[in-house]
Amino acid sequence: LQTFISHASVALQNALLFQEIKYQASHDALTRLYNRRHFFQQAELLHGQGPLSVIILDVDHFKSFNDTHGHAVGDLVLQRVAQACKEVAAGSILLARYGGEEFVLATNSTGEAEELAERLRRGVESTRVSTESGETLSVTISLGVAGGTSGVENLLKAADEALYRAKESGRNRMVAAAWQT
């Protein structure tokens, strides 16, 4: 009985370790969102089901959070933005940390992407981050939206260009690209 329990315990530990490794391979450690690699895998599957919408968002003036308040506050900002996005985009939407201070979403609900982007913008805008010194910081994001039937890479490129236009035109706004075919 003792030998059986010992073997069962090792098997259970291995199974739990495998689950943890699997989780770490598909998730960002800081935000607990999906990572970029997992996003691409899943976005391709979504794209195979029909038209796709992609939203790329970037934290406005993120460098100033790190430079002024330190990297711990910068990390907290990223975590709060991720949490706000999860709350707004709950459901069948693929949400991931794209890199640095950028996040990306994909959905087959192409008709609602611009509305979703605006809800994300407002949700993050209402987010506050408190520093250890007691200061309360506001966070805003800029977003680029693209939808269509072209490949995931093309949609990401169009959404990224729209994001750039949102930043150029004053930040804390959403810009949509033309439908991509």
Side-chain angles (χ1 to χ4, degrees):
L1 183 61
Q2 212 172 15
T3 302
F4 173 76
I5 292 172
S6 176
H7 287 297
S9 174
V10 169
L12 180 59
Q13 288 175 352
N14 285 342
L16 292 173
L17 182 60
F18 177 75
Q19 288 296 78
E20 179 62 23
I21 290 169
K22 191 174 167 183
Y23 179 87
Q24 288 179 10
S26 62
H27 288 77
D28 174 65
L30 179 66
T31 63
R32 299 191 182 274
L33 297 178
Y34 289 123
N35 60 28
R36 181 184 181 117
R37 183 179 61 79
H38 186 79
F39 172 82
F40 276 101
Q41 291 171 344
Q42 296 303 307
E44 290 294 341
L45 293 175
L46 279 175
H47 182 58
Q49 298 172 11
L52 189 69
S53 287
V54 173
I55 302 170
I56 295 180
L57 64 94
D58 184 78
V59 178
D60 293 331
H61 305 291
F62 180 73
K63 187 176 180 329
S64 69
F65 290 113
N66 281 338
D67 292 350
T68 305
H69 304 284
H71 290 278
V73 171
D75 287 350
L76 187 56
V77 166
L78 293 174
Q79 290 169 333
R80 294 287 167 78
V81 168
Q83 185 59 40
C85 289
K86 275 196 261 188
E87 289 170 8
V88 171
S92 62
I93 294 169
L94 177 61
L95 171 63
R97 184 169 179 198
Y98 196 56
E101 69 273 11
E102 287 187 325
F103 299 84
V104 63
L105 294 88
T107 180
N108 287 115
S109 300
T110 56
E112 301 168 9
E114 290 180 40
E115 178 187 322
L116 172 60
E118 185 56 28
R119 286 195 333 260
L120 289 165
R121 189 196 64 74
R122 286 192 313 265
V124 171
E125 184 179 45
S126 67
T127 299
R128 301 291 178 260
V129 177
S130 299
T131 66
E132 287 182 7
S133 66
E135 189 176 354
T136 302
L137 306 175
S138 298
V139 182
T140 61
I141 57 174
S142 298
L143 306 95
V145 180
T149 57
S150 67
V152 173
E153 290 285 343
N154 290 336
L155 292 171
L156 285 167
K157 183 176 184 239
D160 195 47
E161 290 169 359
L163 169 64
Y164 183 75
R165 289 194 308 275
K167 291 216 172 258
E168 274 188 329
S169 61
R171 300 179 194 269
N172 192 25
R173 63 192 69 225
M174 179 272 304
V175 171
W179 185 259
Q180 305 295 303
T181 56

